[in-house]
Amino acid sequence: AICVCFSGLVYSQEPGQIALQDFEKLIEPETLNQVRVLNEQFKQYFDLGQEYIDGSDEVKKELLKKWITDARRESDTEKLNAIAALGNAEVEEAAGVLTSIVNGANETSQTRWLALRGLVVIGEPKAVPLMIRLLKDEDPNITVYAKYGLAKLTKVYFGDDQQKWIEWFKENKIRVVELSQQAIGKWK
């Protein structure tokens, strides 16, 4: 099958390849590969655990409170696990904590990337302006995931062309608000 992407790229998906989500068809293969490599490197952090998956609403609320507390700790393994869990839990309460970590001047590249990934997994449309800014981040892992997140959240793709993204955002603020309302509906 041949796919002509929004970006103008043409590529084929051969049998046995991982099926792309619709928004991923907009992204150039090199960026998709970088995202897959990052996800593979950090996959040990992405398991929510049976306690959360099978837990009652009360158990889930307690775990979320613990993860929010742990995500604010000094850098350690529990912090990394908590940041990843907050994103994987896909709950509204996590977005503010994850945003503050991505913006944190004293955060490591690893914690910032995990937090950004969490915002993308959650589908937090309010993070679109943040992701546009992160296209110029000094950490290449952050910029790759910002491009990926922008494509996922907006269903359009301008790669790392920050100026085009800014112009798009100015013209589509109302669309981002609508996406936010849809996300809130998903969380309830």
Side-chain angles (χ1 to χ4, degrees), residues 35-188:
V35 167
R36 287 190 182 112
V37 167
L38 286 168
N39 285 336
E40 185 64 27
Q41 285 176 337
F42 294 99
K43 71 180 180 183
Q44 75 268 19
Y45 296 110
F46 302 144
D47 181 15
L48 276 173
Q50 286 305 120
E51 183 180 12
Y52 183 84
I53 292 168
D54 296 335
S56 65
D57 287 345
E58 187 173 310
V59 167
K60 289 178 181 181
K61 284 180 186 176
E62 288 302 313
L63 283 169
L64 286 170
K65 283 177 20 182
K66 178 187 181 322
W67 292 334
I68 288 170
T69 300
D70 287 351
R72 293 181 172 135
R73 296 166 54 120
E74 294 298 318
S75 196
D76 66 6
T77 302
E78 283 185 48
K79 178 178 183 136
L80 295 173
N81 287 328
I83 293 168
L86 287 170
N88 290 335
E90 297 186 48
V91 293
E92 182 180 16
E93 296 92 338
V97 174
L98 295 173
T99 300
S100 68
I101 292 168
V102 172
N103 284 322
N106 296 323
E107 297 291 347
T108 66
S109 292
Q110 193 175 35
T111 58
R112 291 179 66 235
W113 178 82
L114 280 170
L116 175 59
R117 182 192 177 276
L119 291 170
V120 172
V121 170
I122 289 169
E124 176 52 75
K126 293 177 193 169
V128 167
L130 169 65
M131 290 180 199
I132 292 171
R133 182 177 55 80
L134 292 174
L135 292 171
K136 298 295 184 195
D137 196 89
E138 60 190 33
D139 183 334
N141 294 341
I142 297 285
T143 59
V144 163
Y145 232 85
K147 290 191 298 186
Y148 183 81
L150 284 165
K152 180 180 180 186
L153 295 177
T154 66
K155 308 302 187 259
V156 296
Y157 190 66
F158 302 110
D160 58 3
D161 189 332
Q162 192 177 50
Q163 190 55 46
K164 281 187 180 177
W165 277 112
I166 291 168
E167 291 167 15
W168 178 91
F169 183 72
K170 287 177 182 177
E171 294 173 11
N172 291 279
K173 283 182 186 176
I174 190 70
R175 183 167 176 224
V176 173
V177 170
E178 290 168 357
L179 290 169
S180 294
Q181 292 168 342
Q182 290 171 6
I184 290 168
K186 177 185 88 169
W187 294 327
K188 290 183 178 182

